[in-house]
Amino acid sequence: MAENTSDLSRLRVMVIDDDDFQLDFATELLEELGIRKVTTALGGDNALLALDHQPAPDLILCDIQMPGMDGFELIKHLGDRQFEGAVILISGQGAKVLYTASLVAQLARLHFLGTVEKPLSKNALLNMLEKAQG
């Protein structure tokens, strides 16, 4: 497990959500898993601005339901930009919304790792992060 943690420590992760509490909660979980390079963006518009001004992350954790630019629209922008990192979609809206979002991500030709329902759990994140390492 220690070797896996050191691999995770090199990942650059961006968390995108419209709720400060969710951003802080996801950041804490990622840090507990050994990830040291976590950036956050409050909403899709801020995420695109951040992506224009910093190195691209290895992984994006993105909420689907957000005011303004939602996760679906952000996925389209990531596909248009040929984002090469991995994407995990998160939502509290249930399985149908997550399934639809997964189809959109695959159609955008993103490296789509999967979906996670809110509330996030350390185990669910770890399972997805192990896919990112694979």
Side-chain angles (χ1 to χ4, degrees), residues 92-109:
Q93 299 297 315
K96 285 185 180 180
V97 171
L98 288 170
Y99 177 72
T100 302
S102 70
L103 293 177
V104 172
Q106 291 169 46
L107 288 171
R109 301 198 187 288

Side-chain angles (χ1 to χ4, degrees), residues 108-127:
R109 301 198 187 288
L110 296 174
H111 180 199
F112 177 63
L113 296 181
T115 60
V116 178
E117 285 192 58
K118 288 181 181 179
L120 291 176
S121 74
K122 199 186 300 188
N123 284 340
L125 277 178
L126 184 59
N127 289 339

Side-chain angles (χ1 to χ4, degrees), residues 5-6 8-10 29-37:
T5 302
S6 69
L8 293 178
S9 71
R10 285 180 274 205
L29 287 178
L30 291 166
E31 288 172 349
E32 287 175 18
L33 292 169
I35 296 174
R36 294 173 183 33
K37 299 173 188 166

Side-chain angles (χ1 to χ4, degrees), residues 11-16 51 56-62 75 78 82-89 105 109-114 128-134:
L11 279 178
R12 290 184 317 272
V13 179
M14 176 182 279
V15 182
I16 306 163
L51 289 168
D58 301 305
L59 171 67
I60 288 179
L61 231 77
C62 182
I75 289 167
L78 292 174
Q82 299 178 338
F83 175 68
E84 294 181 359
V87 176
I88 298 171
L89 298 172
R109 301 198 187 288
L110 296 174
H111 180 199
F112 177 63
L113 296 181
M128 290 291 164
L129 292 169
E130 287 172 349
K131 283 186 185 182
Q133 294 293 317

Side-chain angles (χ1 to χ4, degrees), residues 17-100:
D17 203 305
D18 62 315
D19 183 288
D20 283 319
F21 174 80
Q22 293 294 335
L23 291 172
D24 291 344
F25 183 67
T27 299
E28 284 179 26
L29 287 178
L30 291 166
E31 288 172 349
E32 287 175 18
L33 292 169
I35 296 174
R36 294 173 183 33
K37 299 173 188 166
V38 180
T39 58
T40 60
L42 193 62
D45 292 316
N46 288 328
L48 289 180
L49 285 172
L51 289 168
D52 286 340
H53 296 94
Q54 65 189 38
D58 301 305
L59 171 67
I60 288 179
L61 231 77
C62 182
D63 186 25
I64 298 168
Q65 300 288 339
M66 298 182 287
M69 183 187 301
D70 65 10
F72 292 105
E73 190 176 347
L74 182 63
I75 289 167
K76 181 187 177 310
H77 283 287
L78 292 174
D80 291 348
R81 292 170 175 230
Q82 299 178 338
F83 175 68
E84 294 181 359
V87 176
I88 298 171
L89 298 172
I90 54 177
S91 178
Q93 299 297 315
K96 285 185 180 180
V97 171
L98 288 170
Y99 177 72
T100 302

